[in-house]
Amino acid sequence: MQRPARRTRLIAASTAATALSALGLTGCATTPDPGTVTVLNSATDAAEHDANQEFLDRCAKPLGLRIEQISVPADTVASKALRMASSDSLTDILELDGSELPQFAGTGGLRPLKEIGLNTSGFSDSATSLGSHDGEQYGVARSVNSLALLYNKDMLREAGVEPPATWDELRETAKKLTSGDTYGMAFSASPNADGVYQFLPFFWSGGGDEAQLDNGRGEAALKLWKNMLDDKSVSASVVNWNQQDVNDQFVAGRAAMMINGPWQVPVLSEQDEVDWAVATIPVPEAGQDAVPPIGGTVMAVPKNEDGPERERNAVKILNCLNEEENQLAWGERVNNVPTRAIAADRYAAENPELAPFVNLVATARSRTAQVGTRWPVIQDALAGSFQSVLTGRSEPGAALERAQSQAADGEK
């Protein structure tokens, strides 16, 4: 299950991948059990771990195989992979946040999926992009997620407004929904991965370019966020809120609308105070497609020095996990969108309240597709830009010029 914390692993991955490049990604332990397929992931939550095991066993048992999960905290997956590689004990399947994949694919230690016969037909372009590096696909995602606009149905009805579709409508609707201790809108503008993830739908939809932050087209997104803050329809505390904080504000009735992801659905579904719904993220002009980031984990197959049989077994498991029925069942279990188009369509039909996420995933982009291993530096630069604008220390144009300079210096 994708959670906000998984987007904080970029720096660790960069450090680990540098060392992995020197060591080389090698296979499993010296005397591996030929009937066991090992998986390194971050499923440390008991429910998530058990759900993973259920689906893995579903695929392994008909093949006469067993599955062993090695689950570590999300921010330590990269360092754990490094230690395992150094002792020739890396797992048969490596599950990474999609934003980390370039750091590992660049080492040459992952098998290209087409080379090992993994079936990737019928996958969405955005999901394929999430698992690719330099035009080659190394990882497969069985489900993905993105962001959407979630809103309090009662508050919008009482205010006589509909979910906003454009930026102008968003600003005006947020004003009308602001009353007392309730703000019209909430988002995360924290100076880290959470804040950047939430800024990207506005930055990209407005024409912003992560490869050239000061191209002049990203300023509009900064102005929109600052205008809503100046209107007092957004709390000044957004500069400190992570995505969980945003959801807490929404559930407490202190925000009528919010930007957030499907990982919040379990919490929202368990509470009775807020009658909520999901809509697409507003765009600059009517008729445009929103361009949010795509999130999720990808499963990759490390090169295995213990022989091709272990790689073949890993591929069999991954092909099974990504069959239509299994993808659909997994997506419904974790509130994520299946990556095969036919499974995604069924997911939308069977879960209409979450259908906007399916549409948004279709137009979503990978954070690393354009900039690859440079993303961590660019992420930091973007975070600095909206933090400086929202706190009144800089104008949008100057903030993005400084961000571009910071990104260029950090890439040297």
Side-chain angles (χ1 to χ4, degrees):
M1 182 184 302
Q2 170 74 17
R3 292 171 298 201
R6 288 191 175 172
R7 289 189 290 277
T8 65
R9 291 158 27 185
L10 295 164
I11 301 300
S14 179
T15 302
T18 300
L20 282 168
S21 181
L23 289 168
L25 283 165
T26 54
C28 289
T30 306
T31 54
D33 177 356
T36 299
V37 175
T38 54
V39 181
L40 176 62
N41 61 27
S42 61
T44 54
D45 175 80
E48 183 181 358
H49 189 92
D50 291 346
N52 265 297
Q53 194 68 46
E54 175 188 333
F55 278 76
L56 290 163
D57 287 344
R58 180 186 300 181
C59 290
K61 287 181 179 179
L63 298 170
L65 298 172
R66 295 178 297 279
I67 298 287
E68 178 187 350
Q69 290 186 83
I70 301 172
S71 301
V72 299
D75 59 357
T76 65
V77 169
S79 57
K80 177 67 173 179
L82 169 61
R83 291 193 299 273
M84 295 181 82
S86 68
S87 60
D88 292 339
S89 60
L90 193 59
T91 53
D92 302 305
I93 296 172
L94 178 61
E95 185 170 8
L96 301 164
D97 187 275
S99 62
E100 293 177 341
L101 182 79
Q103 309 288 352
F104 287 85
T107 68
L110 300 179
R111 290 291 188 195
L113 300 189
K114 66 181 181 181
E115 181 182 296
I116 54 177
L118 204 149
N119 180 10
T120 58
S121 62
F123 280 69
S124 65
D125 291 342
S126 55
T128 299
S129 175
L130 185 67
S132 298
H133 175 63
D134 281 350
E136 189 76 65
Q137 188 174 0
Y138 293 92
V140 59
R142 51 182 166 158
S143 68
V144 290
N145 58 61
S146 193
L147 295 167
L149 179 77
L150 288 87
Y151 62 94
N152 184 312
K153 293 165 67 174
D154 293 332
M155 287 185 180
L156 267 68
R157 183 173 57 251
E158 291 170 6
V161 295
E162 296 293 326
T166 67
W167 286 4
D168 286 344
E169 291 175 4
L170 174 61
R171 187 177 177 188
E172 290 306 310
T173 301
K175 288 180 185 177
K176 292 177 181 179
L177 291 168
T178 299
S179 177
D181 62 356
T182 297
Y183 291 93
M185 180 66 176
F187 51 77
S188 168
S190 56
N192 52 31
D194 266 17
V196 173
Y197 200 73
Q198 294 224 333
F199 181 60
L200 285 175
F202 300 96
F203 182 72
W204 280 340
S205 298
D209 183 353
E210 64 270 37
Q212 190 64 45
L213 299 175
D214 59 351
N215 73 347
R217 301 189 64 190
E219 296 175 25
L222 288 174
K223 290 176 181 176
L224 173 66
W225 273 22
K226 185 62 163 62
N227 285 339
M228 288 193 289
L229 193 70
D230 290 344
D231 293 340
K232 300 189 185 306
S233 56
V234 168
S235 170
S237 297
V238 295
V239 296
N240 299 314
W241 288 347
N242 60 30
Q243 294 186 101
Q244 187 57 53
D245 296 327
V246 172
N247 195 61
D248 291 344
Q249 294 293 315
F250 182 74
V251 171
R254 292 191 289 270
M257 301 183 294
M258 69 169 176
I259 299 296
N260 229 311
W263 50 85
Q264 306 293 5
V265 168
V267 173
L268 292 170
S269 299
E270 289 173 1
Q271 56 81 42
D272 298 320
E273 297 300 314
V274 177
D275 186 9
W276 57 278
V278 184
T280 193
I281 296 177
V283 292
E285 301 292 338
Q288 292 180 329
D289 288 327
V291 187
I294 192 168
T297 60
V298 295
M299 291 181 168
V301 178
K303 293 180 178 178
N304 201 308
E305 302 304 325
D306 290 322
E309 185 63 26
R310 299 197 69 84
E311 292 181 8
R312 284 196 290 266
N313 286 340
V315 171
K316 290 175 184 178
I317 297 298
L318 294 184
N319 277 331
C320 175
L321 289 174
N322 286 284
E323 291 174 356
E324 179 186 339
E325 293 297 333
N326 284 335
Q327 274 205 1
L328 179 62
W330 178 253
E332 291 178 336
R333 176 72 69 90
V334 298
N335 301 299
N336 276 0
V337 179
T339 49
R340 288 192 184 277
I342 190 169
D345 290 342
R346 287 181 58 189
Y347 179 86
E350 296 176 18
N351 302 274
E353 72 282 3
L354 300 180
F357 283 115
V358 177
N359 297 330
L360 285 158
V361 160
T363 59
R365 283 177 49 191
S366 166
R367 287 157 285 172
T368 61
Q370 212 183 166
V371 297
T373 57
R374 296 158 50 207
W375 173 249
V377 172
I378 293 167
Q379 174 179 265
D380 289 345
L382 266 178
S385 71
F386 59 69
Q387 279 269 310
S388 65
V389 170
L390 293 178
T391 55
R393 292 180 283 116
S394 182
E395 293 298 316
L400 287 172
E401 287 177 5
R402 186 164 54 251
Q404 178 60 33
S405 177
Q406 177 186 340
D409 288 343
E411 292 163 14
K412 294 177 181 177

